[in-house]
Amino acid sequence: MNRSGEAYPDSWRPPPFIKNPVRRWLLVLGIIVYLMLAIGSLEVNWMRVYEGLDRGAKFVLAFTDPNFSKRWTDISEGLLESLMMTVTSTVIGIGISIPIGLGASKNLAPLPVYLFCRGIIALSRSFQEIIIAILFVAIFGFGPLAGILTLSFATIGFLSKLLAEDIEDIDPSQAEAVKATGARWWQWLNYSIQPQVMPRLIGLSLYRLDINFRESAVVGLVGAGGIGATLNTAFDRYEFDTAAAILITIIAIVMLMEYLSGHIRAWIQ
Amino acid sequence: MPVSERQGQKVWQRRERSKQLTIWFAWLSGTALFVFCWQLISEQTQWFFVWDAPRIAADIGSRMLPPRWSYITELWEPLWDTINIATLGTMLAIVMAVPVAFLAARNTTPDTRILRPIALLIIVSSRSINSLIWSLLLVSIIGPGVVAGMIAISLRSIGFIAKLLYEAIEEIDPNQVEAVTATGARGSQVIAYGIIPQILPAFAGISVFRWDINIRESTVLGLVGAGGIGLQLQASLNVLAWPQVTLILIAIFISVLISEWVSAKVRHAII
């Protein structure tokens, strides 16, 4: 008992995540109503799912016994093409991203250039690679070139945005110091901005290389080259052992790339 | 400081000679690799089509405008499906990703020799395979439809959510965990009172972020038959109904903008 005669609390509850109780219960209610509506609108053909379970088990089992040899020429050609698309599209993408990134940083570019570059970035970010791939295949014809252009375009949105954010965060005193020595614009860029953003730019480029490889497996579905077409055929023929082999190879290459890029990043910093 | 002597005069250089040579060599081999890849790609390209591209682009552009606005009445239901695929898929992914994250975090995993590598392998596999490929797989297993898309989205999201969450778990303040343990709490109580309050903001942020990405991804799953607005896109492309394609692209653009706005608002409110 304390002085005012109330008992001290003998139990404790953690404070709720959302403090306002009305808001909290409205949120819970909203989620329940939404879930009921959403699950109600799902149309599931349970017979089809039941039949599919058998195939699903077959697919999972295929991972224990992947078949690399049956379609090895298709797999190796597709993979090689995917890797080439990855390299070329990343290089082209970086080449375009750097000027756009410079233009999209507020502390470097005048307002019209800034708005123009931000517009390009927004356009590139809002559409999925596959939609752009469809358009590019329609325009440039089937083949890896459409895939390369797609991936380069997608790289711009990613790399320019993050590069511009990094340039906006640089230490301005270094830039000022170099400017005070009477450096020209190019020298100023090369000796005060570039060294500050270089480690992050390299890290981002390596990360994008990784993403571009993963995406290059997908753009093949719409005819833009790479391993995707082979994978699609394998699924269409229900050749799960070949599909498993392709998926395992993709996972292995992604893991290898992540491992290597970790080392390169550690070496640079 | 790297200084070289030229005609008896000391000249400042940015790097030591060996380092400079290494960098030049890296540039040289990188350029060679790029040129080599480009040549092989160029051999497989029909350059005639490429030179013809501006004309075709102008042609498609003129066919795409104006968008066929009346088609919007047929788009509401696919849009609702798309949102459901993303939202339910994200929820399903959260349910599966949380245990994986606790198994993968160094400070909460019960076993570092077997369980942690398995959890990490699940994360890598889920992250390396695009949701379109997951849905390709699921469409061939359980048949076309919204459910295949939902499961594909959730399988792809497990790796993303689990990876960011386990990094958040590894960064928690160990003092709080120790304090809760010192009161005599059980393992489950330590997780509930010592760890979860610390990761809850990160968790909410990650989930909303992934939901935003999933809205984007679920718009295209229909291309392989996994439901949503992508089905309409595929159907319109197949019959070359370009005005409808334009309207679908506009619808996708607006829904992506809205989801980005919602996710930014929610994350701002949490942090």
Side-chain angles (χ1 to χ4, degrees):
Chain A
M1 291 278 184
N2 58 11
R3 229 179 271 166
S4 56
E6 294 162 11
Y8 283 114
D10 59 359
S11 66
W12 173 84
R13 285 166 60 110
F17 187 51
I18 298 169
K19 293 209 173 56
N20 185 345
V22 178
R23 240 196 206 181
R24 188 165 70 237
W25 289 111
L26 271 181
L27 196 68
V28 171
L29 195 73
I31 291 174
I32 291 172
V33 168
Y34 169 76
L35 276 182
M36 277 161 55
L37 282 177
I39 294 174
S41 74
L42 288 182
E43 284 165 17
V44 190
N45 185 349
W46 289 109
M47 273 314 288
R48 180 73 176 76
V49 174
Y50 180 72
E51 283 166 22
L53 284 181
D54 197 30
R55 265 199 292 265
K58 231 186 256 170
F59 176 74
V60 173
L61 281 180
F63 267 95
T64 61
D65 182 25
N67 190 340
F68 288 92
S69 54
K70 194 158 72 186
R71 306 220 173 266
W72 177 242
T73 44
D74 290 344
I75 296 178
S76 58
E77 271 170 25
L79 270 178
L80 208 63
E81 197 171 86
S82 268
L83 283 172
M84 280 173 191
M85 285 164 58
T86 311
V87 171
T88 32
S89 64
T90 311
V91 172
I92 296 174
I94 294 171
I96 308 173
S97 299
I98 290 175
I100 293 183
L102 290 174
S105 29
K106 230 177 202 156
N107 49 354
L108 244 60
L111 193 65
V113 180
Y114 171 78
L115 290 178
F116 176 71
C117 292
R118 285 281 163 176
I120 296 178
I121 292 174
L123 194 70
S124 152
R125 276 168 54 78
S126 48
F127 286 107
Q128 278 276 298
E129 278 90 343
I130 200 88
I131 295 180
I132 298 173
I134 290 173
L135 289 179
F136 279 175
V137 166
I139 294 173
F140 293 99
F142 289 97
L145 188 76
I148 290 176
L149 293 175
T150 307
L151 296 177
S152 310
F153 185 66
T155 305
I156 295 172
F158 174 86
L159 211 59
S160 308
K161 179 162 191 276
L162 295 173
L163 180 66
E165 275 166 15
D166 206 34
I167 292 177
E168 283 171 359
D169 280 346
I170 59 161
D171 177 7
S173 55
Q174 292 183 31
E176 212 172 300
V178 173
K179 206 167 225 173
T181 64
R184 281 191 303 274
W185 195 75
W186 278 113
Q187 291 175 325
W188 177 63
L189 211 62
N190 195 12
Y191 285 90
S192 68
I193 312 278
Q194 186 242 352
Q196 290 195 56
V197 297
M198 204 58 187
R200 189 158 157 76
L201 179 63
I202 292 173
L204 288 173
S205 308
L206 288 171
Y207 183 42
R208 188 65 216 187
L209 192 75
D210 188 32
I211 299 177
N212 277 348
F213 176 70
R214 280 183 247 174
E215 295 294 335
S216 77
V218 176
V219 292
L221 298 179
V222 294
I227 187 79
T230 322
L231 193 61
N232 200 6
T233 322
F235 278 126
D236 281 348
R237 292 180 183 151
Y238 296 113
E239 287 178 348
F240 288 138
D241 45 357
T242 306
I246 297 174
L247 292 181
I248 289 174
T249 326
I250 293 177
I251 294 173
I253 292 178
V254 169
M255 279 172 89
L256 189 73
M257 274 179 155
E258 259 177 30
Y259 180 76
L260 283 181
S261 71
H263 270 268
I264 295 176
R265 248 177 285 183
W267 179 70
I268 282 164
Q269 275 153 11
Chain B
M1 191 194 279
V3 174
S4 71
E5 284 207 15
R6 238 178 257 163
Q7 296 159 354
Q9 224 176 6
K10 287 185 171 176
V11 180
W12 177 77
Q13 285 175 322
R14 199 155 151 194
R15 296 185 184 92
E16 301 283 354
R17 176 171 294 156
S18 60
K19 205 176 174 192
Q20 189 70 46
L21 279 177
T22 322
I23 289 172
W24 274 115
F25 183 72
W27 274 104
L28 183 72
S29 44
T31 315
L33 180 69
F34 172 70
V35 172
F36 170 71
C37 291
W38 177 257
Q39 271 179 341
L40 284 180
I41 297 281
S42 165
E43 274 168 25
Q44 294 179 39
T45 305
Q46 303 279 344
W47 285 103
F48 170 74
F49 286 123
V50 178
W51 301 132
D52 202 29
R55 196 186 57 78
I56 295 177
D59 185 41
I60 291 177
S62 70
R63 281 162 203 260
M64 284 178 92
L65 292 172
R68 202 179 137 210
W69 298 108
S70 59
Y71 188 60
I72 193 82
T73 49
E74 286 175 52
L75 285 184
W76 295 121
E77 212 187 319
L79 267 176
W80 167 249
D81 280 346
T82 304
I83 295 169
N84 285 343
I85 291 174
T87 315
L88 297 178
T90 313
M91 287 179 176
L92 208 61
I94 290 171
V95 173
M96 293 188 277
V98 171
V100 174
F102 274 96
L103 289 180
R106 246 185 225 105
N107 47 355
T108 55
T109 182
D111 173 54
T112 46
R113 272 169 310 162
I114 303 168
L115 283 179
R116 182 160 190 268
I118 291 178
L120 291 179
L121 186 69
I122 293 177
I123 292 175
V124 171
S125 321
S126 149
R127 267 158 44 82
S128 342
I129 297 174
N130 194 290
S131 47
L132 259 173
I133 296 180
W134 280 119
S135 45
L136 199 67
L137 165 70
L138 284 156
V139 165
S140 94
I141 289 178
I142 63 171
V146 175
V147 177
M150 203 182 85
I151 299 175
I153 284 284
S154 68
L155 287 177
R156 170 70 181 84
S157 307
I158 291 177
F160 182 92
I161 297 175
K163 180 168 197 274
L164 293 178
L165 194 60
Y166 98 72
E167 284 168 359
I169 297 175
E170 284 184 347
E171 281 168 14
I172 58 168
D173 176 10
N175 290 337
Q176 296 183 29
V177 179
E178 211 172 294
V180 175
T181 318
T183 65
R186 285 191 308 273
S188 59
Q189 288 173 325
V190 171
I191 290 181
Y193 292 98
I195 297 176
I196 288 182
Q198 292 194 57
I199 57 168
L200 211 51
F203 170 72
I206 295 164
S207 309
V208 175
F209 186 33
R210 187 65 219 183
W211 172 78
D212 174 23
I213 299 175
N214 282 345
I215 290 269
R216 256 166 230 256
E217 298 207 332
S218 59
T219 56
V220 293
L221 294 185
L223 292 173
V224 294
I229 197 165
L231 280 176
Q232 255 62 24
L233 183 62
Q234 178 77 316
S236 305
L237 279 170
N238 281 345
V239 296
L240 298 177
W242 290 106
Q244 293 181 14
V245 173
T246 319
L247 186 68
I248 293 169
L249 291 185
I250 292 173
I252 290 176
F253 186 68
I254 291 174
S255 48
V256 167
L257 278 187
I258 292 174
S259 78
E260 203 163 84
W261 180 77
V262 169
S263 113
K265 274 272 164 189
V266 171
R267 272 185 290 161
H268 192 72
I270 293 167
I271 300 164

